[in-house]
Amino acid sequence: HNLLDENEPYLLLSGYRSPKTNAMLRSRSRGVAKKSLHMRGQAADLRLASRSVSQMACAAEACRAGGVGKYYRSNFVHMDCGAVRSWRG
C-alpha cells in the first residue's frame, strides 16, 4: 500500500488452497503449479481496482520478498513468500 500510495483494500482472489482444490484448478489451467505455495498458505492472488497489474507487480517486485506473477487477462497479481522471481501468466 505504501509503495502504491493507496488505501483501497486489496481484493483477495485466492489465498490458501487445499491440495484437492489445487488439483481441480490444475486440471482446468496450465498456469496452476503442482506444488503451489497457495497450499502452504504462502501465496495470494490480489487485485486493486485503482491500480493496474503492472503497477501492482512493480511495487511487489521492488520489495524483493518472493515471487510475483502478472496475470493481465485475469487482472490480478500473484504474490508469494517463495524465492524471488517473476513471471507472466
Side-chain angles (χ1 to χ4, degrees), residues 22-74:
N22 200 69
M24 178 272 297
L25 292 171
R26 266 183 62 77
S27 73
R28 296 179 182 183
S29 172
R30 294 180 318 149
V32 178
K34 185 174 185 177
K35 295 183 180 181
S36 172
L37 291 177
H38 284 280
M39 295 188 299
R40 294 171 44 188
Q42 296 179 335
D45 297 337
L46 303 163
R47 180 182 294 153
L48 283 173
S50 62
R51 295 291 186 262
S52 69
V53 167
S54 294
Q55 289 170 318
M56 288 179 59
C58 184
E61 289 169 345
C63 295
R64 309 244 348 123
V68 179
K70 298 173 273 297
Y71 293 84
Y72 293 97
R73 279 189 236 155
S74 301

Side-chain angles (χ1 to χ4, degrees), residues 11-24:
L11 175 61
L12 176 64
L13 303 173
S14 182
Y16 171 78
R17 290 184 197 148
S18 70
K20 183 177 179 179
T21 298
N22 200 69
M24 178 272 297

